Amino acid sequence: MTIEWLWLGVGFLGQALFSARFLIQWLASERARRSIVPHAFWLFSLAGGITLLAYALYRRDPVFIAGQGAGLFIYTRNLVLIRREVRLSRARQ
């Protein structure tokens, strides 16, 4: 197996993780019968974004790198906000 095939696999894995987040969001919204964004959406966003960023860095694609890098900040920030909300909720109980 050449390094190109390995990185192609990394790219497809990242895309699969990134795409799975939409399926997760859709199923959670259908279950709740309203639009919601579950915690797993942000986890899959982060995992897919990191994997795709690694692939973009390997490919040396500045457009792809900038897009994934900016997204990682947003996904991480949302996870931090969720964690803070959970901690505050537990402290109030």
Side-chain angles (χ1 to χ4, degrees):
M1 177 189 285
T2 67
I3 195 77
E4 278 299 315
W5 281 103
L6 176 66
W7 278 107
L8 191 59
V10 168
F12 276 118
L13 173 63
Q15 192 58 52
L17 289 168
F18 204 67
S19 296
R21 69 195 187 127
F22 291 113
L23 180 62
I24 289 166
Q25 192 275 329
W26 174 55
L27 292 173
S29 293
E30 287 296 330
R31 211 172 293 129
R33 299 184 146 277
R34 63 185 178 87
S35 181
I36 62 169
V37 180
H39 187 244
F41 177 89
W42 298 113
L43 292 174
F44 273 79
S45 296
L46 187 62
I50 289 169
T51 309
L52 287 172
L53 178 60
Y55 180 71
L57 288 167
Y58 170 75
R59 303 295 284 174
R60 296 183 180 166
D61 184 327
V63 174
F64 202 13
I65 291 167
Q68 291 304 318
L72 290 176
F73 172 76
I74 295 165
Y75 313 143
T76 302
R77 181 63 180 148
N78 275 287
L79 286 166
V80 167
L81 292 172
I82 290 168
R83 183 185 217 182
R84 181 185 302 158
E85 185 178 330
V86 168
R87 243 185 290 131
L88 288 173
S89 176
R90 286 182 183 156
R92 288 186 199 129
Q93 294 176 348

